[in-house]
Amino acid sequence: MTTPPTPAALAATALIDSDHPGVIAFAQQHAQGADTQERAVALYLAVRDGFRYDPYRIDLAPEHMRASSVLDKGYGWCVPKAALLAAACRAMGIPARVGYADVRNHLSTERMRQTMDTDMFIWHGYTDIWLDGQWVKATPAFNIELCERFGLLPLDFDGRHDSIYHPFDKAGNRHMEYVNQRGAFDDMPLTDIVADFKVVYPTLLREHQQMHAASFQQDVERETTR
């Protein structure tokens, strides 16, 4: 049964800071359309393609995880990008939550595989948006340029159907496999995310400075032109 949104799905929080002036301005600029669905789709595309996906720059400090931090940096990984989409929707009066799943990523860089010691990406973030009486999943992580370079099928979003990772890429190779659904939350459960990352990705957290110094884009380009 579909559970309607509570007032919390429209409220600003410290991490989904929909009351941040930058978030409000971003939402007002990009939420163009004749109805709520069109405006939600426009926001999705603005977050997906307006901010480069960069999993090398993971920083779990609250100031780097909140939605407005993506605006400040111009890039983000799946969790803060999903938070930005949720915040932008809330700023426009569209109820939204943040959702999470554990996925097996069959397409990653060698540096990421070695540092993470696994192809399992826990707490992968997406946005859950209330549209036309139902919750619809939207995944704004991979920008269109990255998809084209990596040979991935871009994730489209029509405001009616879930937009989640494709199981295969354009060539038919394995891409993403959803292993565990963690559900949707009115606020980012950062304490739980940090605790699990410490257990699953100790090398990543220990060597985060080295990862920050590397270039995800350059690694992708090098490995896809071999």
Side-chain angles (χ1 to χ4, degrees), residues 53-58 76-78 112 121 146 204 211 216:
Y53 173 76
D54 193 342
Y56 284 10
R57 305 287 183 104
I58 292 176
W77 53 294
C78 61
M112 285 193 70
F121 283 47
L146 177 66
L204 174 66
M211 288 293 287
F216 177 66

Side-chain angles (χ1 to χ4, degrees), residues 5-13 16 90 96-97 185-187:
T6 68
L10 282 170
T13 72
I16 305 178
R90 291 183 184 185
R97 310 181 298 194
F185 302 76
D186 290 321
D187 198 8

Side-chain angles (χ1 to χ4, degrees), residues 123-175:
W123 289 100
H124 151 67
Y126 61 88
T127 311
D128 217 17
I129 309 173
W130 182 258
L131 295 168
D132 197 22
Q134 65 176 338
W135 290 106
V136 187
K137 296 181 176 65
T139 307
F142 290 174
N143 52 293
I144 189 66
E145 293 87 358
L146 177 66
C147 291
E148 292 173 349
R149 167 59 68 178
F150 233 148
L152 305 178
L153 295 167
L155 285 184
D156 293 321
F157 180 59
D158 62 4
R160 295 175 175 84
H161 304 91
D162 289 341
S163 175
I164 59 176
Y165 283 133
H166 300 292
F168 300 96
D169 66 7
K170 290 181 180 178
N173 300 311
R174 277 282 188 181
H175 175 32

Side-chain angles (χ1 to χ4, degrees), residues 169-214:
D169 66 7
K170 290 181 180 178
N173 300 311
R174 277 282 188 181
H175 175 32
M176 288 287 186
E177 176 186 354
Y178 285 81
V179 177
N180 176 47
Q181 289 286 346
R182 293 180 180 264
F185 302 76
D186 290 321
D187 198 8
M188 184 192 301
L190 184 56
T191 300
D192 293 336
I193 294 173
V194 171
D196 287 347
F197 268 51
K198 287 180 178 178
V199 173
V200 179
Y201 306 128
T203 304
L204 174 66
L205 298 185
R206 186 172 60 249
E207 299 180 0
H208 70 279
Q209 294 295 345
Q210 293 93 316
M211 288 293 287
H212 289 188

